Structures are given as structure tokens and as C-alpha cells.
Amino acid sequence: MKSPSSLLSQHLDYLKLPYLQQHYAELARQSAEQHWDHVEYLRRLIEGQYVERRQRIIERRVKAARFPVLKTLEQFQWDWPKKINRLQVQNLFRLEFVAQHANVVLLGTVGVGKTHLASALGYAACQEGYSVLFADAISVINDLALAQKRGLLKRQLRKYLGPQLVVLDEIGYLPIDQHGADLLFQVISQRYERGSTVITTNRAFKHWPEIFNNDSTLTSALLDRLLHHGESIVIEGRSYRMRDQSEP
């Protein structure tokens, strides 16, 4: 016949409560020494299990998001850009725009921190329980173009429509042909009012037709969906990555 402690360990293992299984005995000892009541002992056990499970879930979300590098708002060098609306950026990290299925466009030249802030927003969203995907725009187009050739476009589109927040990095760095523009439009238009999209770009909106094969009609429709429930943030300054080369 199994002892009570063996049965307890077996039951906790079956229920997949590893923190309780590993710490109930030690916390029971502390409880006796510090004269906790039963509720306090139970509270500490459950709190430990909650924290451990929440951290594992966050780690899974972060892995699924496929960030190239993890970035946080705290790491951002506010004194580098010549122009940035700090309060506007900080307000985004309340993540209300994600709950509202709204969008964000970060505009600026190369190296001013757009991708850093976009990645940090995605990471913050993961920590708050949102599903996130990070991808550069050209990779998305190539992925969908390949899926279309294989007759799997509809299925592959779900990869970009499912997450509550999608970060599309580097729109405008390379020209997009008509086919690519159509594919990217499908992602943005089908996410409209269903999920949030964060975009980084080095091109002002008036130049976006040049990105999309000079298709002004498609560009206007795309911007209409992006900005109807969204806001844009302009960042100005020199490239942070080139700071050493620019010093005398």
C-alpha cells in the first residue's frame, strides 16, 4: 500500500501540477515554522504553480512569434532619434490597440528604432496573453507565393490571419511586384477589424504606390484599411547602427 505522500505525488503528477509536486513538502515545513494557516499555505502553493505555468505559456508564445531578437521598451535609446513622440509610443504599450483590433505604422529612415519598437510591442503582447507573429514583408510574400503555386494559399493565409497581433517588418525596403502586392493586400485586408497589425516602413505614405508596383488603387485600399483604426508614428534621426562610423 502506498504512503499518503506517494499517493499525493502520484495525483499531482497526473494532474500536471509540477510546482505543487516539487514544493508542497518544503512549503509545509515553512508553514509549520512560521505558523501559516491553511489558507496561506494553499495560497502560496497555488501562486507558485500559477507563476510557473504562466511563464511557460509566455515562453511558448514568444517562441511561436519568431522574433529575430527579443527587444523591450526599456532597452530603447530615447535620446538617439531627433524626433519621436515618446508619450505616444509609451501609450501603445498599454496594448489597448490590440484589444481594439487597431493598427500601428512606424515610419522612419533606416536605423532609427522602428523594428526595435515593433518587436518590443510584440514581446509585450506575448506577456499579456496575446498570440503574436513577427515576419518581414518580403518573407510573407514569398511564403504565400510558394503556397499558391502548391495550391495551399488558403491554408497558408491562416498563419497570418490567426494571430491577434502580426508585425510586418520592412515594407518599402524592396519593391513589390503586382502579384506580391495582391498577396500582401489579402493579409492586411482580411485582418481588418479582426486582428491588429504593426508595420514598419521607411517610406512616407505618399510614396507607397512606388512600393506596390505603382498601383494607386490597391495602395489606397490598403492604406484605408490600415489607418481606419490605427495610428502612425514618425521617427526621425540618423541610423543608430551607423553611429560609430559617423563619429569624427
Side-chain angles (χ1 to χ4, degrees):
M1 184 175 178
K2 292 185 177 180
S3 66
S5 60
S6 295
L7 281 172
L8 177 58
S9 182
Q10 179 182 328
H11 293 161
L12 291 173
D13 183 58
Y14 178 80
L15 293 169
K16 294 181 170 54
L17 298 171
Y19 183 89
L20 271 66
Q21 186 177 18
Q22 296 164 14
H23 296 89
Y24 77 87
E26 173 60 22
L27 283 175
R29 184 187 64 78
Q30 293 181 32
S31 177
E33 290 177 354
Q34 300 178 33
H35 307 291
W36 299 341
D37 59 23
H38 294 97
V39 173
E40 178 62 15
Y41 172 61
L42 179 61
R43 184 193 69 78
R44 296 200 181 209
L45 275 175
I46 298 303
E47 181 179 40
Q49 181 65 64
Y50 164 80
V51 170
E52 184 178 89
R53 180 169 295 180
R54 184 175 184 272
Q55 185 57 38
R56 286 202 307 270
I57 291 171
I58 289 172
E59 289 170 359
R60 287 198 294 269
R61 288 196 193 103
V62 170
K63 184 178 181 180
R66 300 181 181 179
F67 298 111
V69 181
L70 289 183
K71 296 290 185 179
T72 67
L73 181 62
E74 290 73 24
Q75 295 170 330
F76 189 74
Q77 300 292 322
W78 292 104
D79 58 346
W80 185 259
K82 289 182 178 179
K83 176 185 176 183
I84 186 170
N85 188 327
R86 183 168 182 169
L87 289 178
Q88 186 183 14
V89 172
Q90 289 174 326
N91 186 59
L92 288 177
F93 281 80
R94 297 168 61 188
L95 301 176
E96 292 179 356
F97 77 95
V98 183
Q100 297 166 358
H101 299 164
N103 307 309
V104 176
V105 181
L106 300 167
L107 300 100
T109 53
V110 173
V112 293
K114 304 183 303 297
T115 298
H116 182 133
L117 290 173
S119 299
L121 276 170
Y123 183 59
C126 285
Q127 292 179 307
E128 292 303 315
Y130 293 106
S131 55
V132 178
L133 179 65
F134 182 103
D136 69 83
I138 298 299
S139 294
V140 173
I141 291 169
N142 291 339
D143 183 36
L144 293 177
L146 181 60
Q148 190 172 42
K149 287 181 180 178
R150 295 174 175 174
L152 300 172
L153 178 59
K154 187 174 181 179
R155 188 176 77 177
Q156 197 64 7
L157 269 171
R158 289 198 289 266
K159 172 182 175 182
Y160 303 103
L161 302 181
Q164 292 163 292
L165 173 62
V166 167
V167 179
L168 290 177
D169 195 29
E170 298 186 339
I171 286 184
Y173 287 80
L174 293 172
I176 299 171
D177 62 17
Q178 188 64 52
H179 184 222
D182 291 341
L183 291 172
L184 197 60
F185 178 77
Q186 287 191 57
V187 174
I188 293 172
S189 64
Q190 291 186 52
R191 288 189 59 79
Y192 176 63
E193 295 188 333
R194 293 174 52 190
S196 294
T197 306
V198 172
I199 284 175
T200 70
T201 181
N202 64 335
R203 308 292 295 275
F205 294 135
K206 65 182 180 180
H207 298 304
W208 273 38
E210 299 169 14
I211 303 172
F212 295 104
N213 200 41
N214 291 310
D215 188 333
S216 298
T217 301
L218 181 145
T219 305
S220 296
L222 187 149
L223 286 173
D224 181 67
R225 285 159 176 78
L226 269 181
L227 301 178
H228 179 218
H229 302 297
E231 60 182 306
S232 57
I233 294 177
V234 177
I235 308 173
E236 296 179 1
R238 295 182 294 117
S239 170
Y240 185 77
R241 290 185 290 272
M242 297 295 290
R243 64 193 183 281
D244 293 333
Q245 286 84 344
S246 62
E247 290 176 358

